[in-house]
Amino acid sequence: MKGRKLLMIPGPIEFEPAVLRALGAPTTSHVAPSFIESFGHSLEMMREVWMAPSGQPFIIAGTGTLAMDIAGANLTEPGDNVLVISTGYFGDRYADLLKRYGASVTMLKAAPGDVVPTEVIENELKNKKYKLLTFTHVDTSTAVQVKPEPIGKLGKKYGVLTTLDGVCSVGGERILQEEWGIDVVLTASQKAVGVPPGLALLVASKKAIEAWKNRRSPVANYYADWSNWLPIMEAYEQRRPSYFGTPAVNLVAALEVSLGIILKEGMENRFARHERIGNAFRAAIAALGLGMIPTSPEIAANTLSAPRYPSGTEGAAFMKAMSATDIIVAGGLLPELKNEYFRVGHMGSVNRNDLIATIGAIESAMIACDNKIKPGTGISAALASL
Ligand code: PMP
């Protein structure tokens, strides 16, 4: 296709043609039987994708930040102690957001590219009573991945609600919400879930819903309040029309298609594919002699990578050379390291051809910036890994 560029940023991503077709279909009424079916079916499929058979799914028009806001607004009250585990930009954002609701926020912040050790989190939970703990599965600013299972266990052990920001992980990285005991797993449509931007998606555990029902004060955010949305989700799932705010009809139709594609691939297959792609990309970057923001491959995400610019090459010059390749990648995001690295998304329907094309583009940008590499070095390493 003439003029086509490959979108390899960490969201929005390249979407499946069937998803885009659903998005472009004529808009129906939000109470049309066909739409009620789409909505209800999407809610049911979310439980399977999140692996939360008894969870309560929510589909609400908005972005990932709204999903963070919904969990924050419904689960905190003024004066509640909240522990935020931050591995980058989006962890810091969660701390800011929770303070708006009057929460007393303690933040455990990892050094850039690193995680907070589980023992440090456990010590904090031992020493102080918290109502809620939030953490980011994959912080898109650092490409660091936190293992959710041990934190879910700590939440159970210390009676703390846990919220996982899975905006850059749901549908790509392994999450077993219910088995791991995580109370809210939230995301947005535009990443590994595979739908253009515009939907805030989350699944809440029974315990989270109970905690919300037992609040002493009303939810301080009208749009986010589960009192408004829970009856709507229940109605659509029972295939009844209902209204609070007009659903994003076309996006929900696209979501139904995308969740169907995800489940057809199978969750374990999908996680394994992301791991293969992540490993191959990391092998290529290492072969090209570039560093990475995550301090070790064990904590690197499979949905995106954050390679450092080649040493001696200005970030701006490298990004300019990249843009001449028709592969779109993203710049750095973490304020303190912003000019030292770039980010490549490799999630959702990404395939090995996309990956090889991207690695080829990185090689040609390096060569354009006078880096002494042998063409094909990164591609060979990726192919060997694949
Ligand atoms: N959390 C993480 C981990 C993210 O990557 C993002 C988006 N990049 C957000 C939250 C916020 O999502 P949105 O931009 O859709 O508001």
mmCIF file of all heavy atoms in Angstrom, residues 10 63-66 68 90 93 136 138-140 165 167-168 188 190-191, ligand 1:
data_model
loop_
_atom_site.group_PDB
_atom_site.id
_atom_site.type_symbol
_atom_site.label_atom_id
_atom_site.label_comp_id
_atom_site.label_asym_id
_atom_site.label_seq_id
_atom_site.Cartn_x
_atom_site.Cartn_y
_atom_site.Cartn_z
ATOM 1 N N PRO A 10 4.062 2.181 21.530
ATOM 2 C CA PRO A 10 3.345 1.411 22.556
ATOM 3 C C PRO A 10 1.904 1.897 22.751
ATOM 4 O O PRO A 10 1.491 2.199 23.856
ATOM 5 C CB PRO A 10 4.203 1.595 23.806
ATOM 6 C CG PRO A 10 5.010 2.811 23.572
ATOM 7 C CD PRO A 10 5.109 3.057 22.100
ATOM 8 N N THR A 63 -10.375 7.043 28.356
ATOM 9 C CA THR A 63 -9.046 6.474 28.111
ATOM 10 C C THR A 63 -8.584 5.649 29.313
ATOM 11 O O THR A 63 -9.327 5.495 30.294
ATOM 12 C CB THR A 63 -8.011 7.587 27.817
ATOM 13 O OG1 THR A 63 -7.678 8.239 29.044
ATOM 14 C CG2 THR A 63 -8.516 8.587 26.801
ATOM 15 N N GLY A 64 -7.359 5.183 29.232
ATOM 16 C CA GLY A 64 -6.793 4.399 30.331
ATOM 17 C C GLY A 64 -6.734 5.190 31.629
ATOM 18 O O GLY A 64 -6.923 4.643 32.719
ATOM 19 N N THR A 65 -6.505 6.483 31.506
ATOM 20 C CA THR A 65 -6.456 7.318 32.714
ATOM 21 C C THR A 65 -7.818 7.325 33.398
ATOM 22 O O THR A 65 -7.904 7.347 34.631
ATOM 23 C CB THR A 65 -5.999 8.754 32.343
ATOM 24 O OG1 THR A 65 -4.783 8.636 31.609
ATOM 25 C CG2 THR A 65 -5.777 9.607 33.569
ATOM 26 N N LEU A 66 -8.891 7.274 32.611
ATOM 27 C CA LEU A 66 -10.224 7.181 33.220
ATOM 28 C C LEU A 66 -10.351 5.845 33.965
ATOM 29 O O LEU A 66 -10.912 5.801 35.060
ATOM 30 C CB LEU A 66 -11.336 7.300 32.170
ATOM 31 C CG LEU A 66 -12.730 7.124 32.787
ATOM 32 C CD1 LEU A 66 -13.116 8.313 33.669
ATOM 33 C CD2 LEU A 66 -13.802 6.890 31.740
ATOM 34 N N MET A 68 -8.018 4.264 35.451
ATOM 35 C CA MET A 68 -7.290 4.473 36.716
ATOM 36 C C MET A 68 -8.153 5.291 37.677
ATOM 37 O O MET A 68 -8.241 5.006 38.870
ATOM 38 C CB MET A 68 -5.980 5.235 36.451
ATOM 39 C CG MET A 68 -4.980 4.480 35.609
ATOM 40 S SD MET A 68 -3.617 5.545 35.013
ATOM 41 C CE MET A 68 -2.641 5.745 36.510
ATOM 42 N N PHE A 90 3.674 6.297 34.900
ATOM 43 C CA PHE A 90 2.264 6.018 35.166
ATOM 44 C C PHE A 90 2.000 5.661 36.619
ATOM 45 O O PHE A 90 0.903 5.898 37.128
ATOM 46 C CB PHE A 90 1.726 4.976 34.180
ATOM 47 C CG PHE A 90 1.659 5.552 32.791
ATOM 48 C CD1 PHE A 90 2.638 5.270 31.851
ATOM 49 C CD2 PHE A 90 0.664 6.449 32.454
ATOM 50 C CE1 PHE A 90 2.604 5.855 30.584
ATOM 51 C CE2 PHE A 90 0.624 7.049 31.194
ATOM 52 C CZ PHE A 90 1.597 6.746 30.256
ATOM 53 N N ARG A 93 1.742 9.004 38.144
ATOM 54 C CA ARG A 93 0.424 9.563 37.830
ATOM 55 C C ARG A 93 -0.630 9.023 38.800
ATOM 56 O O ARG A 93 -1.508 9.761 39.252
ATOM 57 C CB ARG A 93 0.034 9.209 36.385
ATOM 58 C CG ARG A 93 -1.398 9.611 36.058
ATOM 59 C CD ARG A 93 -1.751 9.357 34.613
ATOM 60 N NE ARG A 93 -1.052 10.279 33.723
ATOM 61 C CZ ARG A 93 -1.280 10.394 32.413
ATOM 62 N NH1 ARG A 93 -2.209 9.646 31.845
ATOM 63 N NH2 ARG A 93 -0.614 11.245 31.676
ATOM 64 N N THR A 136 1.816 -0.955 38.664
ATOM 65 C CA THR A 136 1.740 -0.928 37.205
ATOM 66 C C THR A 136 2.374 -2.204 36.677
ATOM 67 O O THR A 136 3.523 -2.494 37.018
ATOM 68 C CB THR A 136 2.513 0.303 36.655
ATOM 69 O OG1 THR A 136 2.189 1.438 37.460
ATOM 70 C CG2 THR A 136 2.152 0.574 35.212
ATOM 71 N N VAL A 138 3.116 -3.132 33.412
ATOM 72 C CA VAL A 138 4.199 -2.696 32.524
ATOM 73 C C VAL A 138 4.144 -1.182 32.487
ATOM 74 O O VAL A 138 3.158 -0.617 31.997
ATOM 75 C CB VAL A 138 4.011 -3.249 31.096
ATOM 76 C CG1 VAL A 138 5.001 -2.591 30.135
ATOM 77 C CG2 VAL A 138 4.184 -4.773 31.069
ATOM 78 N N ASP A 139 5.159 -0.528 33.041
ATOM 79 C CA ASP A 139 5.148 0.929 32.926
ATOM 80 C C ASP A 139 5.697 1.291 31.550
ATOM 81 O O ASP A 139 6.837 0.974 31.211
ATOM 82 C CB ASP A 139 5.947 1.608 34.043
ATOM 83 C CG ASP A 139 5.484 3.050 34.208
ATOM 84 O OD1 ASP A 139 5.611 3.838 33.224
ATOM 85 O OD2 ASP A 139 4.948 3.414 35.267
ATOM 86 N N THR A 140 4.851 1.940 30.771
ATOM 87 C CA THR A 140 5.156 2.218 29.367
ATOM 88 C C THR A 140 6.299 3.217 29.221
ATOM 89 O O THR A 140 6.862 3.360 28.139
ATOM 90 C CB THR A 140 3.870 2.719 28.683
ATOM 91 O OG1 THR A 140 2.798 1.932 29.194
ATOM 92 C CG2 THR A 140 3.894 2.546 27.192
ATOM 93 N N ASP A 165 -2.570 -1.562 37.213
ATOM 94 C CA ASP A 165 -2.658 -0.813 35.958
ATOM 95 C C ASP A 165 -2.074 -1.721 34.875
ATOM 96 O O ASP A 165 -0.865 -1.903 34.780
ATOM 97 C CB ASP A 165 -1.870 0.504 36.087
ATOM 98 C CG ASP A 165 -1.743 1.242 34.752
ATOM 99 O OD1 ASP A 165 -2.107 0.663 33.704
ATOM 100 O OD2 ASP A 165 -1.256 2.389 34.759
ATOM 101 N N VAL A 167 -2.665 -1.251 31.601
ATOM 102 C CA VAL A 167 -2.921 -0.568 30.317
ATOM 103 C C VAL A 167 -1.965 -1.085 29.239
ATOM 104 O O VAL A 167 -2.364 -1.281 28.101
ATOM 105 C CB VAL A 167 -2.845 0.975 30.469
ATOM 106 C CG1 VAL A 167 -2.927 1.656 29.108
ATOM 107 C CG2 VAL A 167 -3.974 1.489 31.362
ATOM 108 N N CYS A 168 -0.719 -1.355 29.645
ATOM 109 C CA CYS A 168 0.237 -1.822 28.629
ATOM 110 C C CYS A 168 0.482 -3.329 28.738
ATOM 111 O O CYS A 168 1.520 -3.822 28.298
ATOM 112 C CB CYS A 168 1.537 -1.043 28.758
ATOM 113 S SG CYS A 168 2.474 -1.077 27.233
ATOM 114 N N ALA A 188 -6.924 0.040 28.756
ATOM 115 C CA ALA A 188 -7.560 0.893 27.760
ATOM 116 C C ALA A 188 -7.606 0.081 26.476
ATOM 117 O O ALA A 188 -6.892 -0.909 26.325
ATOM 118 C CB ALA A 188 -6.734 2.163 27.577
ATOM 119 N N GLN A 190 -6.637 0.763 23.382
ATOM 120 C CA GLN A 190 -5.730 0.977 22.248
ATOM 121 C C GLN A 190 -4.429 0.199 22.273
ATOM 122 O O GLN A 190 -3.588 0.403 21.415
ATOM 123 C CB GLN A 190 -5.425 2.480 22.113
ATOM 124 C CG GLN A 190 -4.462 3.065 23.152
ATOM 125 C CD GLN A 190 -5.140 3.564 24.412
ATOM 126 O OE1 GLN A 190 -6.269 3.209 24.699
ATOM 127 N NE2 GLN A 190 -4.463 4.385 25.197
ATOM 128 N N LYS A 191 -4.257 -0.671 23.265
ATOM 129 C CA LYS A 191 -2.981 -1.400 23.311
ATOM 130 C C LYS A 191 -3.236 -2.863 22.956
ATOM 131 O O LYS A 191 -3.839 -3.142 21.921
ATOM 132 C CB LYS A 191 -2.316 -1.173 24.657
ATOM 133 C CG LYS A 191 -2.121 0.325 24.876
ATOM 134 C CD LYS A 191 -0.989 0.657 25.760
ATOM 135 C CE LYS A 191 -1.040 2.122 26.099
ATOM 136 N NZ LYS A 191 0.250 2.731 26.218
HETATM 137 N N1 PMP B 1 -1.047 3.407 32.325
HETATM 138 C C1 PMP B 1 -0.139 2.947 31.468
HETATM 139 C C2 PMP B 1 0.778 1.859 31.905
HETATM 140 C C3 PMP B 1 -0.085 3.468 30.176
HETATM 141 O O1 PMP B 1 0.799 2.986 29.307
HETATM 142 C C4 PMP B 1 -0.980 4.479 29.785
HETATM 143 C C5 PMP B 1 -0.959 5.063 28.384
HETATM 144 N N2 PMP B 1 0.231 5.046 27.719
HETATM 145 C C6 PMP B 1 -1.890 4.936 30.741
HETATM 146 C C7 PMP B 1 -1.902 4.370 31.993
HETATM 147 C C8 PMP B 1 -2.870 6.011 30.409
HETATM 148 O O2 PMP B 1 -3.689 5.617 29.372
HETATM 149 P P1 PMP B 1 -4.394 6.708 28.416
HETATM 150 O O3 PMP B 1 -3.301 7.393 27.657
HETATM 151 O O4 PMP B 1 -5.260 5.886 27.540
HETATM 152 O O5 PMP B 1 -5.131 7.639 29.290
#
